[in-house]
Amino acid sequence: MALLIYGVTGYTGRLILEEALAKGLRPILSGRNADEVRALATAHGLEARPVSLSDAKALDAALQGVTVVLHCAGPFWRLGPPMISACMRNGTHYLDITGEITVFEQCAASGPKAKSLGVTLLPGVGFDVVPSDCLAAHLKRRLPTATELTLAFTGGTGLSRGTATTMVEGIAQGGAARRGGKIIRVPSAWKTLNVDFGDRVRHCVSIPWGDVSTAFHSTNIPDITVYTGMPKSTARWMRWTRPIMPLLGAAPVQKYLKARINARTPGPSAERRAGAQSRLWGEAKDSAGQSVRSLLVAPDGYSLTAMTAVASATRVLAGTVAPGFQTPSTAFGADFILDFPRTEREDRA
């Protein structure tokens, strides 16, 4: 029952490896940089199987005897499909830590085929989208007639290089929401909302968070908007720059922005993560005017990602998750997030 972690030498990949080892797992380590993968494997006495995602034959060989892949290399819209295809060819369950709508929708579309092959496709087993997906499912449980879902989150420690790169690659696409069950593209900072996160009220702006995809598959609620806490000045800047957003996708601009990202530290320090927390808020409404709200307090996103990703992989390794496309809440239930330390949920009217 082997677990392979791909992208293990990245910032989040290393956090996940530390958590896996702490839980007694002995994963196979993989990634494109052979020297770094082998050095990390040697340091922990683990097997190394470095491989490029562009080499399908070598990728198939790397997956021999592997039960579960935990894919940590992004941007996932670009690096996920080769691994997903390889997993389906080899009967290997696929998990990742994406928050990208495109990947969730691709996995959902591949769900029937994966189910016929006995393969589980479970993207989004990190901060995006485990806590928010579990919160969405909990709100649906509280109000089964819900037709509208609003989610918001705040808190953070800064971005890792990988997260920042993913954001830069998607910046030209603007925002996204779901209306009438369909995902629609909307302008950046399309809507704003003041949210009481329990500690204080924060100004929030709509963003193309992964739940625009996953919450619909988890709850069947047709109208979904997701927000994040953001200063009003930043939101104004996003609105002012809408006309030039397409230009940000141009190759020279992307090259410049990525060079700036690569000059930064890999990610937030352990000390910074230890002192941080994330807060999530959700509201569900129905056509009769009924509504329910809930709050969720959890560790910082990167620490939580390591915990939820390893716990998810462990459950899939145990054979307790059905094949086909799954979200965290359909795989593990709305209360899955409460299994983790420093995580609390509060219901409001």
Side-chain angles (χ1 to χ4, degrees), residues 45-180:
L46 301 172
E47 181 181 354
R49 295 186 187 180
V51 64
S52 169
L53 293 171
S54 63
D55 188 338
K57 185 175 180 179
L59 196 52
D60 287 344
L63 295 189
Q64 293 304 300
V66 172
T67 307
V68 174
V69 163
L70 180 49
H71 191 61
C72 305
F76 293 87
W77 70 267
R78 182 158 48 86
L79 301 181
M83 182 62 83
I84 293 169
S85 296
C87 285
M88 293 180 69
R89 287 195 304 270
N90 291 277
T92 304
H93 304 305
Y94 172 88
L95 282 67
D96 70 26
I97 55 171
T98 190
E100 300 162 44
I101 291 173
T102 300
V103 179
F104 291 125
E105 291 298 295
Q106 288 174 342
C107 286
S110 299
K113 181 178 180 181
K115 184 176 182 179
S116 71
L117 296 171
V119 171
T120 298
L121 299 180
L122 178 51
V125 296
F127 177 73
D128 191 355
V129 293
V130 170
S132 46
D133 187 60
C134 288
L135 184 60
H138 177 64
L139 289 164
K140 173 69 172 183
R141 182 170 60 189
R142 292 187 64 201
L143 186 63
T145 55
T147 56
E148 180 181 349
L149 176 67
T150 304
L151 297 169
F153 68 96
T154 188
T157 53
L159 303 176
S160 71
R161 290 173 183 168
T163 303
T165 299
T166 297
M167 292 176 66
V168 162
E169 291 201 2
I171 194 171
Q173 298 179 21
R178 193 179 282 270
R179 292 294 182 268

Side-chain angles (χ1 to χ4, degrees), residues 187-190 205-208 230 232-243 245:
S188 298
W190 180 49
V205 174
S206 61
I207 61 168
M230 186 179 295
K232 291 183 179 180
S233 59
T234 304
R236 285 195 297 269
W237 178 86
M238 291 175 68
R239 289 192 290 271
W240 290 338
T241 56
R242 284 174 184 171
M245 279 294 177

